[in-house]
Amino acid sequence: MTHKQVIALDVNNVSVAYGGGRLALRQASLQVQGGSVCGLVGMNGSGKSTLFKTVMGFLPPLRGTVQVFGQPVIRAQKAGLIAYVPQSEDVDWNFPVSVREVVMMGRQGKMGWLRRPNAVDETLVEESLERVGMSAFMNRQIGELSGGQRKRAFLARALAQEGRLLLLDEPFGGVDVGTSEAIIALMGELRREGRSMLVSTHDLGTLETFCDEVALIADRTVLLYGPTDEVLTADNLAATFGGRSPLHAQPSAKRVEVRP
Amino acid sequence: MTLEFLLEPLQYDFMTRALLVSALVGTVCAVLSCFVILKGWSLMGDAVSHAVLPGVVISYLLGLPFVIGAFFFGLVTVSAIGFIQSRSRVKEDTVIGVVFTALFALGLVMISKISSEVHLSHILFGDVLGIGDSELWQTVIAGTIALIVTLLLRKDLLLYVFDPTHARSIGLNTGVLNYVLLTMLALTIVTALQTVGVILVVAMLITPGATAYLLTDKFSKMLWIAVACGILSAVIGTYGSYFLDGATGACIVLVQSLFFLLAFIFAPKHGQLARRRQQMAERADELGEGGPPAAPRPVLTRVRASGKTEASD
């Protein structure tokens, strides 16, 4: 594929600290190739959220650089290249907005200064809703949806935005098996269109079905990233999850060589 | 006869002025209140409104329009809160409490020591019936600016309140939006000072929005409902205060609280009665009253393979 030559996301040796001075990410490096899906795996508090926030430009790196399609984060955002799908816990589901309005928010950056949607925006919103199978629910208030429908609504927003790098924060959190499969199928389609994805997940079992690459995060840094089958070994997972791989029944004796 | 009685207050120039000013203040505050309650800034509103007190006194001393000093101190409060919070381990509500009580106390000391001519009670509780020409114009100008800026930017502000991460991801400057909203908050408070006073401003800034929030699930409707509540309560409150010969600001706030109470009980979907009805319906359904017996629930036969998917990082 032609998209493979570009690097969608390049996190190079990045360290990040919160306001209080505590280091939240230490010399983390990670690349997502154009048109590929990268899984982000690690325990709670390992630095996954921090990495997301850094890629979104919320936390300026102390050292190192983050580039999206060869541009600094701010420029990539102005160009609408980065789409973000939040995890369910981060959304106020009582907020007085409808599904359609949420999806329209994906277009807002491209509207004029009065933020009036034009015909293109309307069409894209409808197509995006159609694509995730949410057209029938577009006038519902977002809190009236099931867990799976909520995810789909926000996926539709990312589609409407036409972002080229999608950040999905726990897309399988609190959804049923059917929705999981639908989301994985959709990610496959998007990948074939040449879009790149960074997906944080706890669901190790499905990683191999949709990830080209996997990055293991532990102790506030990226331990290792690379092709899924090479990274997802018992030893590597044991190192990530502190002792024993949740995927492999056999506990392993030797530990992985950890990147500096 | 009744009509005559009701029209009596309108013969007085001060009453028509008071009605117009309080209706404008009600409108501006109502619009802001929709953002304030969704963002969870009620305490911030309370803080800024108290903390402008020294600004009012200083304006008086320097012979400046009170709007300028109050607005300046509003911004000082917001900045001080942001500064201390980002640089200490103390939680936000604590920082807000410390900052605004400090500034409010400073204002009280200034009034008692420096200028005995400033009427403390007028600043604390408002005096819309006695509003002078200069205050009237200051109120109108500040209120109009706050209203226009907020309405023009409402879509970006709403997106920022709902999902700042997404707002950022489409290239909006969330830092600027945050300060625009805070600045409009300060400006609105300044607008309402003359009408309801420092202590009760916060009611104007949350109650109409909260009432509307109970009545609708659409933000555009919420804005209209809040504005209707704001204007109605301003007019009824001002009118009522004439007949009661009571404090105007407090009367307005009471009417607003009454609207909220009505919505809390009778709102079609989120009100207490509707909730009760829904619970009763569910219970009746479960017990199979007045219908065919409910089908037995399918028993879960196997535990799902993957365990915890809910937890977040």
Side-chain angles (χ1 to χ4, degrees):
Chain A
M1 248 189 166
T2 50
H3 301 286
K4 289 275 180 194
Q5 283 101 25
V6 265
I7 295 168
L9 172 64
D10 187 5
V11 178
N12 186 12
N13 203 28
V14 164
S15 295
V16 172
Y18 283 111
R22 192 173 56 89
L23 267 187
L25 212 55
R26 298 181 300 129
Q27 299 177 36
S29 291
L30 169 72
Q31 279 188 350
V32 180
Q33 303 297 320
S36 76
V37 180
C38 180
L40 204 55
V41 173
M43 289 195 290
N44 289 338
S46 58
K48 276 188 297 179
S49 285
T50 309
L51 185 60
F52 264 66
K53 282 182 194 153
T54 310
V55 176
M56 299 295 301
F58 275 106
L59 299 167
L62 285 178
R63 64 184 286 179
T65 54
V66 180
Q67 291 208 309
V68 177
F69 293 104
Q71 303 174 35
V73 170
I74 292 208
R75 265 214 266 145
Q77 284 174 333
K78 292 261 187 241
L81 295 176
I82 309 175
Y84 169 73
V85 181
Q87 56 175 316
S88 296
E89 289 79 3
D90 292 344
V91 178
D92 174 4
W93 297 104
N94 287 317
F95 209 87
V97 285
S98 68
V99 172
R100 194 172 190 288
E101 286 168 324
V102 166
V103 180
M104 192 57 92
M105 287 174 181
R107 303 297 308 158
Q108 199 158 320
K110 295 179 173 101
M111 297 176 191
W113 71 279
L114 273 179
R115 306 301 188 201
R116 287 181 185 280
N118 61 24
V120 178
D121 298 323
E122 305 277 355
T123 315
L124 264 166
V125 165
E126 259 141 52
E127 281 173 7
S128 308
L129 282 164
E130 186 79 37
R131 201 160 168 192
V132 298
M134 286 292 290
S135 299
F137 304 100
M138 66 179 187
N139 291 320
R140 291 248 186 117
Q141 190 265 333
I142 53 171
E144 295 169 354
L145 303 174
S146 71
Q149 289 166 344
R150 292 176 176 190
K151 288 286 183 213
R152 288 170 202 240
F154 279 86
L155 274 167
R157 183 177 75 178
L159 294 181
Q161 190 187 332
E162 298 181 299
R164 285 173 63 201
L165 171 68
L166 275 66
L167 304 177
L168 293 91
D169 201 353
E170 296 288 344
F172 308 116
V175 304
D176 55 71
V177 177
T179 304
S180 272
E181 282 166 1
I183 293 174
I184 289 174
L186 182 65
M187 291 198 315
E189 276 178 42
L190 294 173
R191 181 171 161 274
R192 281 191 291 281
E193 288 170 14
R195 303 202 216 201
S196 321
M197 279 157 270
L198 183 63
V199 186
S200 84
T201 178
H202 281 82
D203 194 356
L204 294 175
T206 53
L207 273 179
E208 274 172 286
T209 61
F210 67 88
C211 289
D212 300 293
E213 284 168 327
V214 170
L216 298 177
I217 297 208
D219 196 20
R220 295 171 290 161
T221 192
V222 177
L223 287 183
L224 184 68
Y225 72 92
T228 306
D229 51 345
E230 287 171 33
V231 170
L232 283 189
T233 63
D235 289 349
N236 290 345
L237 286 172
T240 308
F241 289 91
R244 175 193 273 245
S245 158
L247 248 197
H248 303 78
Q250 291 291 55
S252 62
K254 66 178 199 299
R255 290 176 66 91
V256 68
E257 197 66 46
V258 171
R259 285 162 49 95
Chain B
M1 190 212 99
T2 339
L3 193 67
E4 243 169 60
F5 177 69
L6 281 177
L7 287 178
E8 186 200 311
L10 297 179
Q11 297 165 359
Y12 302 104
D13 194 34
F14 72 88
M15 267 307 285
T16 38
R17 281 160 70 114
L19 279 169
L20 289 175
V21 170
S22 53
L24 171 74
V25 168
T27 309
V28 183
C29 287
V31 168
L32 249 289
S33 73
C34 291
F35 295 95
V36 168
I37 68 138
L38 289 172
K39 182 77 186 153
W41 271 357
S42 304
L43 183 60
M44 186 64 105
D46 199 22
V48 175
S49 59
H50 280 79
V52 299
L53 190 57
V56 177
V57 182
I58 290 174
S59 309
Y60 174 81
L61 286 177
L62 299 178
L64 290 169
F66 80 93
V67 167
I68 292 177
F71 183 58
F72 176 75
F73 265 81
L75 296 186
V76 165
T77 314
V78 165
S79 318
I81 290 169
F83 180 84
I84 297 176
Q85 204 214 331
S86 65
R87 265 156 251 254
S88 75
R89 56 180 289 186
V90 184
K91 285 186 185 154
E92 189 181 20
D93 64 329
T94 313
V95 176
I96 293 176
V98 169
V99 170
F100 96 74
T101 47
L103 286 167
F104 188 60
L106 175 66
L108 291 177
V109 170
M110 285 169 107
I111 287 182
S112 62
K113 272 289 152 209
I114 302 167
S115 98
S116 54
E117 286 159 78
V118 178
H119 293 295
L120 182 61
S121 74
H122 288 179
I123 300 174
L124 294 187
F125 302 112
D127 179 26
V128 73
L129 297 182
I131 191 168
D133 278 340
S134 154
E135 288 95 19
L136 178 79
W137 282 111
Q138 293 178 40
T139 301
V140 169
I141 291 169
T144 311
I145 294 173
L147 191 63
I148 289 175
V149 172
T150 310
L151 285 179
L152 280 181
L153 292 177
R154 70 179 186 283
K155 291 202 171 168
D156 282 2
L157 289 174
L158 184 70
L159 177 50
Y160 165 66
V161 170
F162 176 59
D163 189 348
T165 317
H166 174 70
R168 196 169 179 122
S169 85
I170 60 171
L172 302 187
N173 191 330
T174 48
V176 168
L177 285 173
N178 184 50
Y179 273 97
V180 167
L181 195 54
L182 283 172
T183 307
M184 291 309 115
L185 181 71
L187 202 54
T188 307
I189 286 167
V190 168
T191 307
L193 273 190
Q194 189 71 31
T195 310
V196 285
V198 161
I199 309 259
L200 286 177
V201 166
V202 68
M204 307 282 287
L205 274 170
I206 50 183
T207 314
T211 307
Y213 182 61
L214 287 176
L215 291 170
T216 180
D217 277 334
K218 264 189 94 67
F219 185 74
S220 49
K221 280 192 192 157
M222 185 173 157
L223 271 180
W224 284 113
I225 297 174
V227 167
C229 276
I231 295 179
L232 263 179
S233 48
V235 170
I236 297 174
T238 309
Y239 229 76
S241 75
Y242 175 86
F243 293 109
L244 287 172
D245 198 16
T248 315
C251 285
I252 295 174
V253 171
L254 266 187
V255 178
Q256 283 187 345
S257 313
L258 185 67
F259 283 154
F260 177 80
L261 189 64
L262 290 175
F264 176 71
I265 298 172
F266 298 109
K269 194 168 145 200
H270 304 295
Q272 288 307 294
L273 293 182
R275 284 182 162 217
R276 175 66 63 84
R277 256 199 312 280
Q278 203 184 339
Q279 282 165 5
M280 296 302 266
E282 265 172 31
R283 183 176 299 188
D285 209 32
E286 181 64 28
L287 295 176
E289 282 168 10
R297 289 180 146 274
V299 180
L300 216 55
T301 47
R302 72 190 168 84
V303 179
R304 203 169 285 159
S306 60
K308 47 171 173 69
T309 46
E310 278 289 358
S312 66
D313 188 347

